[in-house]
């Protein structure tokens, strides 16, 4: 099977995986309780910590990101959770809390919007909640929540833990796990990390770990206390997805060579390029708008309105016919929007080729 050229696949997850990373998976198996495994994890741990900007160990879960969302609420949710909802993935976080038997109230804002820290502080008054669930970069709308400010609000409220899904944030948008004192932050391998799907990564603040230890019925597979106990020995609680770990180790090295600052700047440039392009579409008389308001847009994914008379799915298909993969809108935005995942290992030059094709599709 011949490989299509790199730079044509812009789904907001899974994202395009570099050939060297794909190749890194094709290595023989090793025992997961042996020295080889410990070396594999020990060698990549400093780089993983640099990606999360933390001194804490980074947990490696052989699951998709949803697994660690479940771990977050189950270990750290306490009894009552405030779920900040502004799209499909934050809604999923709320549902996961409910499905795990927690009392969870949804605090909804319209699609495309983000949460105002003052309004959240208001909701926290009275001390009803033990934790907050929030999505950093809402992949269904391209909106970016102000996580640093929300973390301050959670701290000020006392014993309230902030549980952050940064699945399309981390490794594309700045995340300062220690500086912002995030209680739990998680991501998945197949978004801005540009790895194949199947791994989730997370970091727990000591106070989140204390909450977990005091929580009954944490289950087995997503018990954060177990993750902690094993990762300090450079192991995982169960047999890990070893081939994906090889890919992760290779990608951590690539990211380390790029540096986080340069990686963030590259994502910011791709995002700005997309937003400027949308403005140019408007100048051509096409109603193409960035759904999220200025100042609250994700650097990794943009959700664009499609002009009246066209449908997200049709635009998507026309792009496919030209050899490009983007995404139709998500959920209720399916017909009215398209989404471009400008994240992972893409750059402005590749994005430019895509936007040129999109311009032709919208002109047709
Ligand atoms: C993709 C995504 C998820 C779900 O990830 P899975 O790996 O499919 O479990 C959760 N949250 C956000 C914001 C996402 O973009």
């Amino acid at each position: 099977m011949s490989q299509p050229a790199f730079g044509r696949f812009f789904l907001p997850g899974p994202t395009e995986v570099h050939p060297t990373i794909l190749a890194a998976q094709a290595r023989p198996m090793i025992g997961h309780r042996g020295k080889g495994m410990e070396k594999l994890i020990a060698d990549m741990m400093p780089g993983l910590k640099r990606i999360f900007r933390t001194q804490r160990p980074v947990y490696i879960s052989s699951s998709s990101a949803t697994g660690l969302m479940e771990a977050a609420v189950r270990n750290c949710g306490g009894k009552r959770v405030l779920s900040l909802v502004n799209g499909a993935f934050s809604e999923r976080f709320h549902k996961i809390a409910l499905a795990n038997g927690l009392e969870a109230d949804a605090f909804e804002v319209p699609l495309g919007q983000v949460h105002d820290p003052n309004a959240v502080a208001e909701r926290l008054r009275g001390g009803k909640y033990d934790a907050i669930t929030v999505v950093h970069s809402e992949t269904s709308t391209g909106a970016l929540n102000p996580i640093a400010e929300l973390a301050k609000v959670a701290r000020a409220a006392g014993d309230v833990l902030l549980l952050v899904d940064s699945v399309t944030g981390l490794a594309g948008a700045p995340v300062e796990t220690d500086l912002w004192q995030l209680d739990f932050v998680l991501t998945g391998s197949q978004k801005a990390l540009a790895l194949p799907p199947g791994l989730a990564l997370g970091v727990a603040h000591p106070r989140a770990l204390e909450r977990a230890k005091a929580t009954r019925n944490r289950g087995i597979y997503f018990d954060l206390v177990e993750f902690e106990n094993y990762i300090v020995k450079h192991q995982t609680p169960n047999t890990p997805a070893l081939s994906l770990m090889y890919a992760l180790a290779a990608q951590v090295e690539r990211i380390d060579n790029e540096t986080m600052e340069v990686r963030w700047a590259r994502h910011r440039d791709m995002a700005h390029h997309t937003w400027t392009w949308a403005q140019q579409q408007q100048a051509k008389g096409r109603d193409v708008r960035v759904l999220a308001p200025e100042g609250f847009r994700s650097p990794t994914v943009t959700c664009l309105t499609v002009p009246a008379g066209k449908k997200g799915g049709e635009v998507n298909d026309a792009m496919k016919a030209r050899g490009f993969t983007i995404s139709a809108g998500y959920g209720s935005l399916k017909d009215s929007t398209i989404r471009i995942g400008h994240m992972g290992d893409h750059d402005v030059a590749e994005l430019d080729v895509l936007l040129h094709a999109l311009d032709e599709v919208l002109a047709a």
Side-chain angles (χ1 to χ4, degrees):
M1 211 172 83
S2 75
Q3 297 276 337
F6 190 88
R8 301 193 153 237
F9 191 83
F10 285 76
L11 269 192
T15 54
E16 194 157 6
V17 180
H18 199 275
T20 60
I21 301 303
L22 287 175
Q25 296 177 94
R27 280 169 54 188
M29 296 302 113
I30 56 175
H32 67 289
R33 294 285 176 246
K35 289 275 171 263
M37 188 68 207
E38 286 178 15
K39 182 168 168 26
L40 182 69
I41 292 183
D43 286 352
M44 72 167 121
M45 192 50 66
L48 278 175
K49 289 180 179 179
R50 281 190 282 275
I51 293 171
F52 274 83
R53 313 281 270 202
T54 187
Q55 303 289 325
R56 294 276 303 143
V58 179
Y59 305 153
I60 306 167
S61 170
S62 292
S63 66
S64 82
T66 306
L68 282 189
M69 292 167 84
E70 184 141 304
V73 295
R74 201 160 178 169
N75 288 262
C76 308
K79 285 197 175 64
R80 282 176 295 271
V81 173
L82 181 65
S83 290
L84 308 187
V85 175
N86 62 335
F89 292 99
S90 41
E91 189 184 334
R92 179 188 295 188
F93 220 171
H94 177 227
K95 283 188 180 147
I96 293 170
L98 292 173
N100 279 281
L102 279 72
E103 282 175 44
D105 296 333
F107 177 8
E108 286 189 57
V109 297
L111 294 178
Q113 302 295 310
V114 299
H115 285 86
D116 169 16
N118 294 326
V120 174
E122 192 62 34
R123 292 279 176 127
L124 294 177
R125 276 166 58 174
K128 182 180 175 193
Y129 298 108
D130 303 309
I132 302 168
T133 63
V134 63
V135 169
H136 181 201
S137 163
E138 184 35 272
T139 317
S140 62
T141 67
L144 191 77
N145 257 313
I147 294 300
E149 287 73 20
L150 290 169
K152 277 188 199 146
V153 161
R155 290 272 143 176
D159 198 19
V160 180
L161 301 187
L162 186 71
L163 312 176
V164 183
D165 163 341
S166 189
V167 177
T168 51
L170 200 114
V175 174
E176 296 281 2
T177 300
D178 286 359
L179 192 66
W180 298 349
Q181 297 191 53
L182 304 180
D183 293 303
F184 190 70
V185 55
L186 71 103
T187 191
S189 51
Q190 80 278 23
K191 305 282 173 83
L193 282 170
L195 286 160
L199 290 180
L201 305 166
V203 172
H205 188 278
R207 78 171 187 158
L209 203 58
E210 286 314 306
R211 170 78 62 81
K213 284 178 184 161
T215 299
R216 292 171 49 128
N217 298 325
R218 300 189 298 271
I220 294 282
Y221 199 67
F222 293 118
D223 180 355
L224 293 183
V225 180
E226 285 287 287
F227 274 101
E228 177 79 18
N229 291 342
Y230 278 89
I231 201 67
V232 296
K233 301 184 288 183
H234 297 125
Q235 290 188 11
T236 53
N238 312 101
T239 321
L242 190 48
S243 309
L244 293 171
M245 304 270 285
Y246 293 144
L248 177 63
Q251 183 67 330
V252 165
E253 204 178 313
R254 284 183 83 244
I255 293 174
D256 238 355
N257 289 335
E258 182 178 24
T259 77
M260 289 311 288
E261 285 76 8
V262 173
R263 195 174 180 86
W264 291 338
R266 180 164 56 76
H267 282 84
R268 189 195 56 214
D269 290 349
M270 286 193 287
H272 279 279
H273 196 71
T274 308
W275 308 337
T276 304
W277 177 88
Q279 274 177 347
Q280 289 160 355
Q281 290 296 304
Q282 286 172 40
K284 292 181 185 179
R286 299 180 198 140
D287 185 24
V288 177
R289 280 168 289 115
V290 179
L291 186 71
E294 241 173 282
F296 298 99
R297 291 173 181 171
S298 173
T300 63
V301 54
T302 297
C303 181
L304 296 165
T305 61
V306 293
K310 293 202 188 291
K311 280 190 173 164
E314 294 164 6
V315 174
N316 212 17
D317 290 347
M319 287 298 284
K320 195 104 208 166
R322 287 163 193 263
F324 295 94
T325 303
I326 58 169
S327 178
Y330 200 103
S332 59
L333 296 168
K334 193 170 177 28
D335 287 338
S336 58
T337 65
I338 51 171
R339 292 174 305 146
I340 301 172
H342 34 72
M343 70 180 115
D345 286 333
H346 289 309
D347 59 26
V348 169
E350 291 160 12
L351 181 62
D352 210 31
V353 177
L354 173 98
L355 292 174
H356 187 78
L358 188 54
D359 177 66
E360 285 176 1
V361 163
L362 292 176

